[in-house]
């Protein structure tokens, strides 16, 4: 059984007991419910496609950790001008574990 869920502007294919990294979610009590389920495939092979979302479907997850992703280096340069700037950025992310698809 799996589902396609829209979380923070991105679409993720999730199944039960899966852990994944998403953009930083607001601080919560550790449980999160996602209502924007775009597609659900159950164990029998039946596929429900939403228009745009599947009615009554939801995905429950628990927040494992808030952390930062790998560093991305931004380097700017203009030739023959002596202009060089190096910046780094680490995007804040949240690790979640999918508990239940219903």
């Amino acid at each position: 059984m799996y589902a396609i869920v829209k979380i923070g502007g991105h679409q993720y294919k999730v199944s039960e007991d899966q852990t994944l990294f998403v953009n930083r979610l607001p601080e919560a009590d550790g449980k999160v419910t996602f209502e924007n389920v775009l597609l659900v495939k159950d164990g029998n092979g039946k596929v429900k496609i939403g228009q745009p979302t599947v009615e009554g479907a939801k995905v429950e997850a628990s927040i494992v950790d808030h952390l930062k992703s790998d560093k991305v280096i931004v380097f700017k340069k203009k030739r023959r001008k002596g202009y060089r700037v190096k910046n780094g950025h680490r995007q804040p992310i949240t690790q979640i574990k999918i508990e239940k698809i219903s």
Side-chain angles (χ1 to χ4, degrees), residues 31-48:
K31 296 286 184 183
V32 182
T33 302
F34 302 109
E35 303 285 332
N36 291 335
V37 180
L38 305 175
L39 181 139
V40 175
K41 181 179 179 188
D42 59 4
N44 300 332
K46 287 188 168 186
V47 177
K48 294 180 189 174

Side-chain angles (χ1 to χ4, degrees), residues 50-90:
Q51 298 174 357
T53 60
V54 178
E55 302 238 354
K58 62 183 178 178
V59 174
E60 297 176 6
S62 62
I63 295 176
V64 177
D65 197 10
H66 294 287
L67 43 116
K68 291 184 177 182
S69 64
D70 295 335
K71 182 173 272 193
V72 176
I73 302 296
V74 179
F75 186 74
K76 300 177 182 179
K77 180 181 178 184
K78 294 188 179 179
R79 63 184 186 160
R80 297 188 300 271
K81 305 297 181 203
Y83 173 76
R84 294 184 303 180
V85 174
K86 181 180 177 183
N87 284 324
H89 176 73
R90 293 183 69 188

